Amino acid sequence: MLKVRKAEERGVSRHDGLISWHTFSFGEYVDPRHPGYSDLLVINDDRVVGGHGFGAHPHRDMEILTYVLEGALAHRDGMGSHSILYPGEIQLMSAGTGVTHSEMNASADDEVHFLQIWIVPREHDLAPRYQQRVIAPSEKNGRLALILSEDGRDDSLMIAQDVSIYIGMFGPGQKASLPLAEGRCIWLHVATGQISVNGQPVHAGDGVCIEHESHLVLKDGQDAKVIVFDLRQQPFTAR
């Protein structure tokens, strides 16, 4: 079974210097049909103009993944981490017992475009952690690169949940597949461009749910960047 959530069906919020598209319910955008999916709680597609961003604010008991698509994002948190993320870099902040952080456009002039993703952890009150990694183009060009996993295999960052997360870039003539084990499901987000997912053409901002299939098959990409979540197949429970 494959179901597409079109980009234009998402929620949207606009604040000073920020536009954010919400795949699932977030903040003032509440959609009972899309509260989240398995352990995946949030996919926010954010664009922030130069000199703006998110000031210091707290999080707790959440695994927060940031993936920069364009521009540069400055991160600072109460654990002492201070870094600038550029396109292709990923960052995982495990909020655990509580952490305060800020995310600001590192440029005074240029827009930054990034995805912020929240995963519900397997248990509460874990110790906060910060991880960051550059994913080279060669790792994800025409293939799915594992970037996060519960056990840290294949040099992926370790996340406190039974989920595997992949990113890939696809152009014409490139193809990749991922087996889907029994009891697992897929959520795929198209970050840029367009691509065929199990024969269904999808475009930037679209989300794809895949259940009860043997494989995920990607092909016919055009400047496509995708992020794929291999999750436990279970009803979503609001948290």
Side-chain angles (χ1 to χ4, degrees), residues 2-6 23-24 37 40 43 115 144 165-168 170 176 178 185-192 194-198 200-210 216-219 224-231:
L2 181 149
K3 184 177 181 180
V4 178
R5 175 152 163 75
K6 301 298 290 182
T23 296
F24 307 116
Y37 184 69
L40 175 59
I43 301 178
L115 300 177
L144 290 171
I165 304 178
Y166 303 81
I167 57 175
F170 297 91
L178 186 71
C185 57
I186 292 285
W187 187 277
L188 179 145
H189 178 80
V190 185
T192 66
Q194 61 186 64
I195 197 166
S196 168
V197 178
N198 287 23
Q200 172 73 48
V202 289
H203 303 81
D206 290 350
V208 184
C209 161
I210 300 174
L216 164 70
V217 179
L218 304 174
K219 61 180 181 179
K225 294 179 183 177
V226 301
I227 182 163
V228 176
F229 305 85
D230 179 342
L231 301 147

Side-chain angles (χ1 to χ4, degrees), residues 70-90:
E70 295 179 272
L73 185 69
H75 167 92
R76 185 184 296 271
D77 64 45
M79 294 180 285
S81 303
H82 181 210
S83 61
I84 297 180
L85 279 75
Y86 295 96
E89 290 194 73
I90 59 168

Side-chain angles (χ1 to χ4, degrees), residues 16-18 46-55 68 70-76 83-86 102-114:
D16 184 27
L18 163 71
D46 294 335
R47 292 179 181 268
V48 181
V49 302
H52 289 70
F54 303 91
V68 175
E70 295 179 272
L73 185 69
H75 167 92
R76 185 184 296 271
S83 61
I84 297 180
L85 279 75
Y86 295 96
S102 63
E103 294 167 306
M104 304 296 294
N105 191 330
S107 169
D109 304 306
D110 299 326
E111 182 181 80
V112 61
H113 180 199
F114 62 99

Side-chain angles (χ1 to χ4, degrees), residues 10-15 18 20-22 24-32 34 42 44 118:
R10 297 176 295 172
V12 61
S13 58
R14 293 176 173 86
H15 301 286
L18 163 71
S20 183
W21 292 91
H22 311 301
F24 307 116
S25 293
F26 184 84
E28 296 178 356
Y29 168 62
V30 178
D31 184 347
H34 298 98
V42 168
N44 285 348
W118 295 7

